[in-house]
Amino acid sequence: SAQDAFVEDLLEQLQAPVKVGESDYPVSFHCGVVRFPQQGDEFDTLLRRVQVSAQQAKHEQTFLYCYSSGLDEQHLRQLHILEQLQQAVTRDELTLLLQPKIDCRSGRTIGAELLLRWHNQQLGFVGPDEFIPLAEQSGLIKRLTRWVCERAVELLEQLPVDSEHFSLSVNLSAVDLLSDEILALIADLEVQRPQLNRNLVLEVTESAIVSDPDNAIARLNWLRNKGYGVSIDDYGTGYSSLAQMRQLPVTELKIDRAFVQPLADSAVDQSIVRSTIQLAHELGLYVVAEGVEDEPSWRWLQQQGCDELQGFYFSKPISAIDFAQRLQGEAHA
């Protein structure tokens, strides 16, 4: 069509580097396309939708993105979420749930992963899958991570735990891992609890390391040298191998639920999990399996020598009060 020919001609002209003096500079362009009047007949609507489409093109690293129905509503919701999220800490809208971490051999609770939840007056409950990526893109995640870590220190003071053998895991985003603020945050927390490194485990995803390996590894080395446990979350869903893992200063590897949930019936997943546990142990890593949802999977993981479990068979994520009651119940059992 004429439009396609125009776009191809435009792309060809824009792909040429820009010459400044004797130097050539490559410049990347991202375009949004909105059809008039089918996709809007008012100037403000057309402008907003073409801007959103151009942003989407940039996000997807493509030259061109054609507006699709609902895209600007999604964009406006994201702006609204970010606007409200800035006040979430001061308005006391954040809560923490604890996902119990279970000793694979005994079935007893030996720690928890802290999970952030947000309920806003205007938006209602906003799921972490929706607000965490936006918080990362905007840098707000650093404020949220500080809040979670401060609550973690409070919980360690309050919970009836054996401080030598109990861990709380906090998730760090790529933004946290690559920011100097994580260094200041750890220093602030240690003022309150000097031996925090005994109990705090910092979880990072494979993708957080891949985004800037040199800086990420430097940060992880700093945390390890201070005695903190470092866990690789969602292992197996990305592109890293255990060969790459041995270059990372990590102490724990979490096998993703995608491999653990089907364990009882899937020979392929059993092979993957069995070999992962064996290799991880040979590299000196502690192994956690996520997504344990039935007793046969637990017993099979016991036989394979897995160290720790998380999953609905033992408990869904629960409040701090319910978690404390769980610990007390186990202590009296």
Side-chain angles (χ1 to χ4, degrees):
S1 71
Q3 182 188 327
D4 292 339
F6 170 73
V7 167
E8 285 179 24
D9 186 41
L10 184 63
L11 176 57
E12 191 176 332
Q13 292 184 46
L14 292 175
Q15 277 180 328
V18 174
K19 201 167 191 66
V20 179
E22 295 299 309
S23 302
D24 288 342
Y25 293 92
V27 180
S28 62
F29 288 87
H30 305 284
C31 305
V33 173
V34 177
R35 296 177 69 84
F36 170 85
Q38 298 96 319
Q39 294 179 326
D41 55 8
E42 292 181 3
F43 175 77
D44 288 348
T45 302
L46 287 165
L47 183 62
R48 186 178 73 241
R49 289 181 174 175
V50 81
Q51 285 175 331
V52 169
S53 300
Q55 281 183 349
Q56 191 67 21
K58 185 176 182 181
H59 176 68
E60 296 184 8
Q61 288 300 299
T62 59
F63 173 63
L64 186 83
Y65 188 91
C66 295
Y67 175 79
S68 56
S69 179
L71 189 65
D72 60 339
E73 285 87 345
Q74 179 189 340
H75 177 68
L76 290 170
R77 176 171 169 81
Q78 290 174 346
L79 290 177
H80 195 190
I81 285 172
L82 279 172
E83 180 188 12
Q84 293 296 313
L85 193 56
Q86 289 180 8
Q87 307 300 322
V89 173
T90 51
R91 288 185 190 145
D92 202 23
E93 294 179 345
L94 301 173
T95 55
L96 277 183
L97 294 182
L98 290 84
Q99 172 72 63
K101 297 181 83 173
I102 309 297
D103 179 81
C104 189
R105 286 168 290 279
S106 67
R108 296 180 76 83
T109 306
I110 54 172
E113 179 182 357
L114 298 181
L115 303 171
L116 186 60
R117 296 293 181 262
W118 177 37
H119 190 277
N120 175 256
Q121 283 185 333
Q122 292 184 28
L123 295 161
F125 176 79
V126 186
D129 289 352
E130 190 173 19
F131 77 81
I132 294 289
L134 293 174
E136 289 177 352
Q137 290 165 25
S138 65
L140 271 173
I141 193 71
K142 290 183 279 192
R143 194 184 307 173
L144 302 184
T145 299
R146 175 172 280 274
W147 185 87
V148 172
C149 289
E150 287 170 351
R151 297 293 84 72
V153 171
E154 289 176 12
L155 283 167
L156 288 167
E157 306 283 345
Q158 295 162 3
L159 289 169
V161 296
D162 171 3
S163 60
E164 288 290 321
H165 304 100
F166 182 87
S167 66
L168 287 181
S169 297
V170 170
N171 293 283
L172 291 187
S173 72
V175 179
D176 294 312
L177 188 60
L178 301 174
S179 162
D180 286 344
E181 288 179 44
I182 192 66
L183 316 183
L185 172 57
I186 293 290
D188 291 346
L189 298 172
E190 287 178 345
V191 170
Q192 196 172 340
R193 191 177 176 91
Q195 294 179 317
L196 183 63
N197 58 8
R198 288 184 181 180
N199 308 107
L200 190 66
V201 174
L202 300 158
E203 292 193 9
V204 294
T205 60
E206 293 182 56
S207 57
I209 295 169
V210 170
S211 65
D212 186 351
D214 292 343
N215 265 324
I217 288 170
R219 285 284 186 274
L220 295 176
N221 272 320
W222 183 84
L223 290 165
R224 284 295 302 122
N225 289 336
K226 289 186 72 68
Y228 288 90
V230 175
S231 178
I232 292 290
D233 198 8
D234 303 338
Y235 178 77
T237 57
Y239 300 102
S240 65
S241 66
L242 279 167
Q244 289 168 294
M245 283 293 143
R246 68 193 171 93
Q247 299 172 338
L248 298 176
V250 300
T251 56
E252 177 180 290
L253 183 139
K254 295 183 81 171
I255 303 175
D256 189 73
R257 67 186 66 250
F259 304 103
V260 176
Q261 281 171 333
L263 266 182
D265 306 310
S266 170
V268 171
D269 288 298
Q270 286 178 12
S271 296
I272 292 169
V273 173
R274 184 189 296 115
S275 59
T276 301
I277 292 171
Q278 184 181 341
L279 280 166
H281 280 160
E282 286 178 10
L283 293 172
L285 297 172
Y286 189 77
V287 182
V288 182
E290 295 185 281
V292 179
E293 296 190 353
D294 53 60
E295 185 167 352
S297 297
W298 172 29
R299 298 302 178 192
W300 186 87
L301 286 161
Q302 270 183 329
Q303 291 170 358
Q304 305 309 314
C306 186
D307 299 298
E308 206 171 285
L309 314 170
Q310 289 177 236
F312 283 13
Y313 176 70
F314 295 96
S315 174
K316 66 180 193 302
I318 52 180
S319 69
I321 292 170
D322 290 342
F323 186 80
Q325 288 176 342
R326 179 186 179 89
L327 292 176
Q328 285 169 336
E330 287 185 10
H332 297 134

